[in-house]
Amino acid sequence: MAPSISTSPLLSLLRFAFLLSLSIFQPLTTAQSLYRKCETSFNYTSNSTFASNLNTLLASLPSKASFNTGFYKTTVGTNQDRVYGFVSCRGDVAPAICRSCVAEAIREIRQLCPNNKIASILYEYCQLRYSDRMFFSPMEDDGKITLYNTTSINNPTQFLPFLNDLLRNLSNRAANSLGMFATEKTKFMGSQDVYGLVQCNRDLSMDDCSRCLEGAVGDVMGCCSSSRGARFLTASCDLRFELYPFYTISDSGPTPAPRNPTSKGTYVSY
């Protein structure tokens, strides 16, 4: 007979406290991806030169992305075996979070897109893409996603021009900055905090960044200008506004969301 094992109340309490600490203090960089795409019509064979080049490229991305302030693109190989790779982290996340997010993106894209020559994946904090074709620099709206909070804001008539000004000012600042990233906290009607964030991939031209964000603002204003929050994402740029802090506003790391999750509302795609 196997020996019975008794668990003391103290041991159970310590075990619970340990698991709780993991859920509270570890950054949520490995949340479910927001978008992923696998081109199944273009495949490579295992143990091929292309596979070896892809492995080399992917292995370099986590450290290179965090070292290069969250943005890195590279190529490995020549001719038909050349692989193009790209990774970008949100402009406010710390290097360790960027590195962790990219590592998770690599793990998931390998699992979801085995032997595919073209694949991309997008998370809250980072995006990853690779291909056997050169895709750097041109603006693209691949993976276009619009999400909005189903709860409406008070005073929607006054909020529309306010939000339009906020998002367009942020877009102009991002397009004209080296990091192509901008955030702002402001107040609606003198009391309600509103947080905005926009970003373009740093290999875009200023004009392409402006064009991408202009489309994002137009989409958000067209669908979601009376919502308490919305976000727009593509392969080239993203935009978001909320009534609660969701980006880093200090050196201490990402600002935590409100303790009451119901204050965020319910998000659906548009």
Side-chain angles (χ1 to χ4, degrees):
M1 178 184 296
S4 61
I5 300 175
S6 61
T7 302
S8 69
L10 178 59
L11 181 58
S12 297
L13 181 61
L14 290 173
R15 186 174 299 159
F16 173 77
F18 173 73
L19 293 174
L20 182 62
S21 70
L22 291 180
S23 66
I24 292 175
F25 297 110
Q26 289 201 4
L28 299 178
T29 58
T30 58
Q32 183 178 8
S33 56
L34 300 171
Y35 168 84
R36 52 188 179 272
K37 183 178 181 180
C38 309
E39 287 283 358
T40 57
S41 56
F42 300 95
N43 296 324
Y44 63 88
T45 57
S46 301
N47 301 319
S48 63
T49 302
F50 185 92
S52 176
N53 291 339
L54 177 60
N55 289 337
T56 299
L57 183 144
L58 292 177
S60 72
L61 294 183
S63 60
K64 292 289 188 180
S66 58
F67 179 78
N68 289 278
T69 61
F71 180 86
Y72 183 67
K73 61 180 182 179
T74 189
T75 62
V76 175
T78 58
N79 302 323
Q80 72 273 13
D81 294 315
R82 177 173 293 177
V83 186
Y84 300 83
F86 161 93
V87 67
S88 177
C89 290
R90 208 173 71 183
D92 63 314
V93 302
I97 294 177
C98 175
R99 185 165 55 249
S100 176
C101 185
V102 173
E104 173 63 15
I106 292 170
R107 185 200 66 78
E108 187 170 359
I109 209 168
R110 284 185 182 278
Q111 183 180 44
L112 296 174
C113 309
N115 299 99
N116 298 149
K117 284 189 172 183
I118 304 173
S120 57
I121 193 164
L122 176 66
Y123 289 83
E124 173 78 15
Y125 292 148
C126 69
Q127 65 166 307
L128 164 68
R129 183 178 179 187
Y130 66 81
S131 176
D132 63 338
R133 309 169 190 174
M134 213 290 286
F135 60 87
F136 303 147
S137 300
M139 192 206 86
E140 299 182 29
D141 60 3
D142 190 39
K144 179 177 174 181
I145 303 170
T146 305
L147 302 170
Y148 70 96
N149 193 322
T150 56
T151 305
S152 297
I153 193 168
N154 297 329
N155 309 107
T157 302
Q158 293 84 354
F159 190 64
L160 189 150
F162 167 87
L163 180 63
N164 184 67
D165 287 346
L166 170 65
L167 297 181
R168 293 194 183 279
N169 288 338
L170 280 172
S171 299
N172 184 62
R173 282 170 47 198
N176 287 278
S177 68
L178 290 176
M180 291 194 167
F181 174 78
T183 61
E184 184 174 341
K185 173 188 174 183
T186 186
K187 287 189 180 294
F188 173 54
M189 303 188 73
S191 60
Q192 175 63 65
D193 288 337
V194 181
Y195 301 80
L197 176 152
V198 301
Q199 178 169 357
C200 291
N201 293 342
R202 277 183 274 164
D203 60 340
L204 293 184
S205 67
M206 183 180 72
D207 288 343
D208 279 347
C209 178
S210 294
R211 188 158 55 93
C212 189
L213 290 174
E214 182 179 353
V217 173
D219 275 28
V220 168
M221 295 305 298
C223 77
C224 323
S225 60
S226 62
S227 297
R228 295 177 65 85
R231 62 188 310 177
F232 175 94
L233 308 101
T234 71
S236 294
C237 68
D238 58 89
L239 171 155
R240 184 178 180 184
F241 77 90
E242 302 287 356
L243 304 190
Y244 60 86
F246 63 93
Y247 56 80
T248 305
I249 56 176
S250 70
D251 294 334
S252 60
T255 302
R259 290 183 179 273
N260 179 10
T262 60
S263 64
K264 294 189 195 178
T266 301
Y267 277 74
V268 297
S269 59
Y270 175 77

